[in-house]
Amino acid sequence: MEEKRKESTKTENSLENTAFSNQMMIPAESSFSMPSNSNSSLFDISCGELADHHKGSCGFIDMLSVQDFNFPSSTFDDFLQNISSHLIPLEPQQLQLSTSQPLPSPASTVPEYSEVVNTPATPNSSSISSSSTEAAPNDDIKKNKTTVEEEEEEEEDNQEKTKKQLKPKKKNQKRQREPRFAFMTKSEVDHLDDGYRWRKYGQKAVKNSPFPRSYYRCTSTACGVKKRVERSSEDPSIVVTTYEGTHTHPCPITPRGSFGVMPEAATFGGGLGSGVGAAGANSSHFIMPQILQYQQQQQQQTQQEPYFHNLSAPLSFSTATSNPTFPPPFQERPFCPSASSVARDHGLLQDMLPSKMLKEPKDEE
DNA sequence: CGCGTTTGACCTGCGC
DNA sequence: GCGCAGGTCAAACGCG
């Protein structure tokens, strides 16, 4: 197995633009629902089995029509970024529902993602921290510890009291858990090219999984963003990518340098989504959005109702409830959606995805 | 030669 | 205290 994995790893490296096919995992707060009756759509949402550490933290999105889609890094970046600009978080309670239900063990429900994810136990802090922690993630940033950050620490403390800080990183420095953000992709390659340059610094066998977990770090000196990649033991075709930290630099491979940049600003937005979208997707903001919006527009251009609202049931992502209440942090838009997304929502996918992908919704029109 | 990967050792947290 | 598991380090190695 191990060897097989290794081989695949090699393969991955050679496959730059991975087959980003059809599934994305998003933070629990990203849970959203969409008209269940609009299954024609580009996306269908459902809950999937999550890796242990993801339990309770993520939702699972199926991008039905995005089969075997090759995502150029820049596109992916855009994609995520656009997405994140429309995140619609759920209420703590709902989050609770959405996350805990599908999750087997309550204990493992909140693990390390507590900050980013909806921590049933501490809804408030979770939502707050998700945005705040983003401000104090990277090493450099840590240097400038501000009172704000200290507050964040407190929050984190609360959240992590159960989990405690993971290792203080060799120094006495208390280890801060940076906001994390995970998503799943159905891909043959583990390491998706998200536009950033990553250096693998470790690989570990994961318990209860035949697949090893790989650890990557952003190669940019001042950037401490990390990312873990592992395959789902449930479904080997699914790659779970977890980003941690905030990029403090623009995406090196982003053609549209414009958006990829969210340096300091990233403190708020860069977050976990980091790897994913330079500025983009930050933990708490990375939630589906425009895509659905797009879909909706495509299907019912007149629909004025927000695409998805709160998730009432983890598995159902059913149609929305009418009261989308978003925790403060979610209401903010840390970064500016790429021009394309802002200027023309419906152009989002067109802008990011190959026409191939857009076909479905379009054809439906 | 620079950069990235591999891989075993090491560190830390946590449960028993 | 001990063992397990996750996470990180860093030397060795491979590749362009």
Side-chain angles (χ1 to χ4, degrees), chain A residues 156-172:
Chain A
E156 285 195 347
D157 281 349
N158 293 331
Q159 297 181 345
E160 296 178 5
K161 252 165 191 172
T162 50
K163 189 79 181 179
K164 294 210 167 172
Q165 300 83 20
L166 302 191
K167 108 197 215 183
K169 240 191 171 176
K170 293 205 167 168
K171 298 175 183 175
N172 300 324

Side-chain angles (χ1 to χ4, degrees), chain A residues 284-326:
Chain A
S284 35
H285 301 276
F286 182 70
I287 306 180
M288 267 343 216
Q290 289 197 329
I291 295 177
L292 294 179
Q293 215 168 7
Y294 166 78
Q295 175 191 354
Q296 182 175 37
Q297 290 179 352
Q298 297 294 314
Q299 299 185 323
Q300 10 175 280
Q301 302 211 332
T302 52
Q303 249 324 347
Q304 56 308 64
E305 210 178 304
Y307 223 75
F308 22 112
H309 313 272
N310 298 324
L311 182 56
S312 50
L315 293 173
S316 60
F317 285 85
S318 58
T319 348
T321 60
S322 35
N323 269 337
T325 35
F326 315 123

Side-chain angles (χ1 to χ4, degrees), chain A residues 213-269:
Chain A
R213 174 181 299 153
S214 297
Y215 299 88
Y216 297 86
R217 186 172 290 156
C218 181
T219 59
S220 190
T221 52
C223 184
V225 177
K226 294 175 203 165
K227 126 172 147 177
R228 298 186 313 195
V229 178
E230 67 182 283
R231 279 191 182 278
S232 165
S233 57
E234 304 280 331
D235 183 350
S237 65
I238 293 178
V239 177
V240 179
T241 304
T242 304
Y243 290 93
E244 181 177 340
T246 307
H247 283 289
T248 58
H249 58 94
C251 177
I253 314 179
T254 300
R256 308 176 188 184
S258 53
F259 85 62
V261 193
M262 265 279 303
E264 312 316 293
T267 45
F268 192 120

Side-chain angles (χ1 to χ4, degrees), chain A residues 28-29 31 47 56 58-59 90-103 118 311-315 317:
Chain A
E29 60 263 43
S31 302
C47 278
C58 305
L90 302 175
E91 275 181 283
Q93 337 169 316
Q94 293 179 308
L95 291 177
Q96 199 169 348
L97 283 176
S98 64
T99 59
S100 59
Q101 236 180 8
L103 314 174
N118 337 292
L311 182 56
S312 50
L315 293 173
F317 285 85

Side-chain angles (χ1 to χ4, degrees), chain A residues 19 24 78 100-101 106 111 119 130 134 141 150 152 252 257 281 293-294:
Chain A
M24 280 191 82
D78 263 347
S100 59
Q101 236 180 8
T119 309
S130 61
E134 292 164 34
I141 298 179
E150 285 171 22
E152 295 165 3
Q293 215 168 7
Y294 166 78

